[in-house]
Amino acid sequence: MTIQADQETIIVEAFINGQNVKSLSQLAKENPTNPTEIVGYFPVTTKEQAVEAIEAAAGAFKTWKQTSIDERIIMMRKAIEKIRAAENEIVHLLSREHGKPLYDAHGEIYVSLMWMEFACNEAKSALQEEIKEHENGKTILSYDPIGVVAAISPWNYPIALSTIKIAPALLAGNTIVLKPSPYAPLAAAKVAEIIASEFPAGVINVVHGDADVGVELTTNPHVTKIAFTGGTATAKHIIKAASETIKDMTLELGGNDAAIFLESFDVHDERAMRRIVISNFLTAGQICMIAKRVYVHRSIYDEFVEKYIEAANRWIRIGDPFDSNTTVGPVNNLKQKNYVLGLVEDAQKRGAKVIPLGQILDQKLFDQGYYLQPTLVLGCDVHDPIVVEEQFGPTVPILPFDDEEQVINLHNESIYGLTSSVWGKEEDAISVARQLEAGTTMINTAAVQGLDVRFPFGGFKQSGIGREYGAEGIRTYTEKHVINVPKTLDLPYIPE
């Protein structure tokens, strides 16, 4: 990556076998706050360059897999320190290309480094060879690197959802080809190159581009694993494409995460009300694990809505991501803005009441960017699109329920099951949580406020395959290799 002298226009190239590789054409990445401003340019990587990147990774794997875990950890720790040293530069670039406020961009770096450090600390024990002596002899279980990993990351948390793949893949002895999203390609590419500077050529490669590149990453026989975070619809295409070569996959997909407020929840708990508001509108609602539908026991529903609106109006300030007063920035891209608007307008047509939330700090800025004022939607039917579909934007429906069985059924009938949250007395909340179909359920908090990288993260049903984070998130980049050394070589039931 090169940065122009004016520090304004960022130019990203493909990064293959330790070198920047120029492409014949580039695309512009606009600033969501002011779409007339170009933050930088990224390449349209060709299919041939994608093949080159994969072959570079395959070649590097032959020697990289022989390095010790101690060597890999040392390199990763050096990369962590380089990212930390460049944090302010990365954060400013991320805010400009993505639209998330500075505090939120710093938060993404915080989560990324927290995971990378955990992975370094955990890798030796997670990948430790197991030797068991038993009555039949000896068995050795090793966790062997799987090969070339194609990592495809999304635009909403481009750095965190790239490093969640890069760190464990490399620590486990694999090589990687990363494809960032074209909606947020710049900061993710910068971070990947910072990491790559500490590793041998070919271990980390970065490509950009459109469907041709994605198809190559998912069909090339040298790729042995796909790690993808993104939409369920795209994942279905990836699964079909990869079926010809039967690749290993980790897929973290969509979620329509529910927050359930039991009768025992204290609506006068201002800190809890602030937590749910943040859980709905952090990153302008563009987080896979954010609370996207809220169910409230009918006995507290009216007062809950009143206190929710008060909390939302205190916390939500829509403005320039570089303004320290801003808590909610623009939506990342025009396509997503129009999609969310469509869901809200559809709800209104169906008779729902839409309540704008928060304060617009600069109306002129708001009008020129991809901004949406956060909204609360009341009076929906439980099967309206805004309730059953993943909005991925700054709007949330709140619906009443009458008993626990009803709300558990409403939760579990979704095709998704990524995260959920239950709010109320701990004993009551845990009892309900045990009955929910979700990869993670949080008690009295939600979204990134309840994320713990020490434990596996992933979804039920169409929210994904496999798990990231935790020791399991490291081992998912390995194959289990069993070596048996039996005591008795002859089987008693086979005749001489």
Side-chain angles (χ1 to χ4, degrees):
M1 167 178 294
T2 59
I3 300 178
Q4 299 280 359
D6 60 6
Q7 296 292 303
E8 288 297 324
T9 305
I10 309 300
I11 300 175
V12 169
E13 306 286 0
F15 188 79
I16 301 172
N17 204 24
Q19 301 290 329
N20 288 117
V21 177
K22 292 188 178 297
S23 295
L24 294 176
S25 61
Q26 290 187 321
L27 297 175
K29 177 64 190 79
E30 82 279 22
N31 183 342
T33 304
N34 177 12
T36 63
E37 176 196 336
I38 301 303
V39 178
Y41 296 88
F42 63 100
V44 179
T45 305
T46 64
K47 177 182 177 180
E48 291 73 24
Q49 288 173 326
V51 171
E52 185 183 346
I54 293 167
E55 290 178 348
F61 177 66
K62 295 174 183 177
T63 52
W64 176 245
K65 67 179 179 180
Q66 303 296 335
T67 58
S68 69
I69 184 65
D70 289 320
E71 291 177 88
R72 298 173 202 159
I73 291 171
I74 288 170
M75 294 178 196
M76 191 63 69
R77 289 196 188 281
K78 288 181 178 178
I80 289 170
E81 291 311 309
K82 280 191 172 181
I83 294 170
R84 186 171 282 115
E87 179 172 348
N88 285 335
E89 178 188 355
I90 296 167
V91 160
H92 279 70
L93 176 57
L94 178 59
S95 287
R96 287 182 64 216
E97 72 164 329
H98 184 279
K100 60 176 63 185
L102 284 177
Y103 80 89
D104 194 4
H106 276 291
E108 180 167 346
I109 299 296
Y110 174 83
V111 171
S112 301
L113 294 178
M114 180 170 60
W115 162 244
M116 294 174 74
E117 289 173 341
F118 172 84
C120 286
N121 293 335
E122 185 71 16
K124 288 189 77 168
S125 60
L127 302 174
Q128 178 64 47
E129 183 177 88
E130 300 172 28
I131 302 175
K132 294 186 178 181
E133 303 275 357
H134 46 80
E135 66 274 13
N136 295 323
K138 180 170 68 173
T139 299
I140 303 167
L141 171 63
S142 64
Y143 296 93
D144 294 355
I146 200 167
V148 177
V149 176
I152 304 171
S153 61
W155 51 261
N156 62 321
Y157 263 59
I159 296 172
L161 295 174
S162 294
T163 55
I164 198 177
K165 301 165 179 56
I166 294 172
L170 269 54
L171 290 169
N174 304 285
T175 55
I176 197 165
V177 180
L178 173 71
K179 182 182 180 296
S181 167
Y183 288 117
L186 307 176
K190 178 175 178 62
V191 169
E193 288 190 32
I194 288 173
I195 299 172
S197 69
E198 293 299 330
F199 289 82
V203 172
I204 304 177
N205 306 272
V206 183
V207 296
H208 301 264
D210 50 23
D212 284 349
V213 174
V215 169
E216 190 61 39
L217 291 178
T218 54
T219 60
N220 190 296
H222 288 302
V223 173
T224 48
K225 181 179 178 70
I226 298 169
F228 170 76
T229 303
T232 299
T234 302
K236 292 176 182 178
H237 293 293
I238 289 173
I239 292 169
K240 288 178 182 178
S243 64
E244 290 296 320
T245 47
I246 311 181
K247 302 183 189 301
D248 187 281
M249 292 187 191
T250 299
L251 307 175
E252 195 265 277
L253 309 177
N256 189 17
D257 304 358
I260 298 171
F261 288 81
L262 304 178
E263 190 173 11
S264 61
F265 175 75
D266 180 6
V267 297
H268 299 285
D269 185 340
E270 292 185 2
R271 292 177 65 85
M273 295 305 297
R274 180 177 182 272
R275 282 197 297 275
I276 183 59
V277 168
I278 293 170
S279 299
N280 295 140
F281 297 112
L282 185 66
T283 317
Q286 301 166 117
I287 304 177
C288 58
M289 59 184 294
I290 214 160
K292 300 183 179 74
R293 49 188 171 131
V294 177
Y295 298 101
V296 181
H297 193 277
R298 196 177 297 277
S299 65
I300 62 171
Y301 178 82
D302 290 339
E303 195 169 9
F304 179 93
V305 170
E306 177 187 340
K307 296 299 182 183
Y308 182 95
I309 293 171
E310 291 176 5
N313 286 336
R314 281 195 299 269
W315 185 75
I316 296 172
R317 298 180 295 277
I318 310 110
D320 186 341
F322 287 84
D323 183 344
S324 61
N325 291 313
T326 295
T327 56
V328 177
V331 173
N332 173 262
N333 58 82
L334 184 59
K335 179 181 178 182
Q336 192 62 28
K337 175 182 176 178
N338 289 336
Y339 173 72
V340 177
L341 271 176
L343 286 175
V344 174
E345 290 170 357
D346 174 79
Q348 286 179 304
K349 290 177 182 177
R350 294 170 184 268
K353 181 180 180 181
V354 175
I355 301 172
L357 301 170
Q359 174 188 2
I360 297 172
L361 299 179
D362 184 335
Q363 188 65 52
K364 182 178 178 181
L365 187 75
F366 183 93
D367 293 339
Q368 77 178 9
Y370 298 147
Y371 284 92
L372 285 173
Q373 183 165 6
T375 52
L376 174 62
V377 184
L378 304 177
C380 297
D381 181 82
V382 294
H383 297 118
D384 283 351
I386 200 166
V387 178
V388 300
E389 295 180 17
E390 182 180 27
Q391 310 100 354
F392 222 67
T395 186
V396 64
I398 299 183
L399 304 94
F401 70 90
D402 295 300
D403 56 58
E404 291 181 1
E405 181 181 2
Q406 178 194 22
V407 77
I408 290 166
N409 289 336
L410 287 171
H411 177 282
N412 289 344
E413 70 181 17
S414 174
I415 63 171
Y416 300 109
L418 189 59
T419 75
S420 58
S421 61
V422 187
W423 307 64
K425 290 182 179 178
E426 184 175 315
E427 183 179 352
D428 299 338
I430 291 175
S431 175
V432 171
R434 292 184 185 279
Q435 302 174 70
L436 302 180
E437 296 170 355
T440 301
T441 300
M442 303 170 192
I443 305 300
N444 291 318
T445 194
V448 294
Q449 298 169 104
L451 178 67
D452 191 332
V453 300
R454 296 173 298 177
F455 297 96
F457 180 84
F460 282 28
K461 297 180 283 190
Q462 292 189 37
S463 282
I465 298 172
R467 293 293 183 269
E468 296 177 298
Y469 289 139
E472 190 172 343
I474 300 172
R475 293 195 192 109
T476 194
Y477 289 92
T478 65
E479 293 281 16
K480 291 179 181 177
H481 184 182
V482 174
I483 301 173
N484 281 328
V485 187
K487 273 183 184 177
T488 305
L489 301 179
D490 297 320
L491 295 173
Y493 56 81
I494 297 179
E496 293 288 341

